[in-house]
Amino acid sequence: MAQVTGDGLSVHIVWDWNGTLLCDIGAVVEATNAAFDELGLPTITLERYRELYCVPVPRFYERLLGRAPTAEEWAVMDETFHRHYWRAAEGVPLEEGAAEMLAARQAAGHTQSLCSLAPHDRLLPLLRTHGIAERFVRVDGATGPTGGGRGGKAGQMERHLRELAAAHAVSPGRTVVIGDAVDDAVAAAHVGARAVLFTGGSHSRASLEEAGVPVVDSLAEAVEVAERIARP
């Protein structure tokens, strides 16, 4: 993990992974359509996916199907989705400019961390593959049999910030979460941090704007806004 070299007053950024640093929305939609194909359901476009996406994921599938999936359908879709997604994941690139941006922030002495609902044991190898594992003072992926852990993204963010405060004196008031989904904004609010949402992932701009936080179209703009809104 990265060494802390900042003055303690700069903005700490908590990055989301899927759909934010990792440009994987295409792989996500392809895996979703593979899951649908298993059940003989019609394919979905990227635009439709972003229009309907929400968490928890079973609720998202309910929107897509027009009804709640049965337990059997959910089991098939969940297994098929993950099988197809992880088969493609290693070939998915980072968002344009992400690696350079992370390196520049670290070189400038700013701290940053990563909090994701991606499985921790799969996340760490991907960070090493992309050469960015050392850019973060802490990385937390999902652990345990329930995947997302207790409380979903909000619960995980609470645990993430608690560890950051203990190890690196990171305060919520100087923290900005950058993600691609409404639950990233909800998680930030849960811990008293701010949030910036990026349009390159799972949600449409219209749905992101309903969260009531800044919405941007690039990670560079996300960092600029984060630096501005976290300063007193």
Side-chain angles (χ1 to χ4, degrees):
M1 297 300 166
Q3 298 296 311
V4 179
T5 59
D7 58 11
L9 298 176
S10 61
V11 175
H12 177 86
I13 291 179
V14 178
W15 292 96
D16 174 56
W17 177 240
N18 301 102
T20 304
L21 290 176
L22 188 68
C23 187
D24 66 345
I25 187 60
V28 167
V29 174
E30 287 181 9
T32 299
N33 281 326
F36 272 35
D37 187 58
E38 286 287 321
L39 299 176
L41 299 171
T43 59
I44 183 173
T45 64
L46 172 59
E47 292 72 22
R48 184 67 172 163
Y49 184 99
R50 284 174 166 164
E51 178 186 347
L52 296 178
Y53 181 77
C54 64
V55 292
V57 175
R59 171 59 178 156
F60 170 53
Y61 280 118
E62 182 176 348
R63 287 182 169 186
L64 288 172
L65 295 173
R67 58 173 174 81
T70 66
E72 293 78 11
E73 287 173 331
W74 168 250
V76 169
M77 289 190 293
D78 189 53
E79 187 280 329
T80 304
F81 174 88
H82 285 96
R83 174 161 42 87
H84 282 265
Y85 176 81
W86 289 111
R87 185 182 299 160
E90 291 188 3
V92 171
L94 295 178
E95 184 65 31
E96 184 177 359
E100 295 79 5
M101 184 178 306
L102 293 170
R105 290 198 86 255
Q106 183 186 29
H110 303 308
T111 61
Q112 52 201 344
S113 58
L114 194 153
C115 183
S116 171
L117 292 181
H120 192 76
D121 60 349
R122 290 186 179 270
L123 177 60
L124 291 180
L126 284 175
L127 297 181
R128 290 191 287 268
T129 295
H130 289 290
I132 60 173
E134 299 303 317
R135 304 304 181 202
F136 308 103
V137 298
R138 184 174 182 85
V139 173
D140 283 312
T143 59
T146 58
R150 301 181 308 278
K153 189 66 176 276
Q156 188 175 22
M157 189 67 68
E158 182 177 346
R159 296 186 290 275
H160 186 73
L161 264 291
R162 184 166 59 242
E163 295 295 334
L164 286 173
H168 304 295
V170 171
S171 67
R174 302 293 300 170
T175 298
V176 178
V177 176
I178 297 179
D180 72 308
V182 172
D183 63 321
D184 293 308
V186 172
H190 179 73
V191 298
R194 294 173 174 82
V196 179
L197 298 181
F198 169 56
T199 60
S202 57
H203 281 276
S204 67
R205 171 176 277 277
S207 61
L208 291 178
E209 289 174 343
E210 293 178 2
V213 302
V215 176
V216 300
D217 297 317
S218 72
L219 295 187
E221 186 182 1
V223 171
E224 291 174 6
V225 173
E227 295 283 352
R228 185 170 67 248
I229 65 176
R231 297 196 179 281

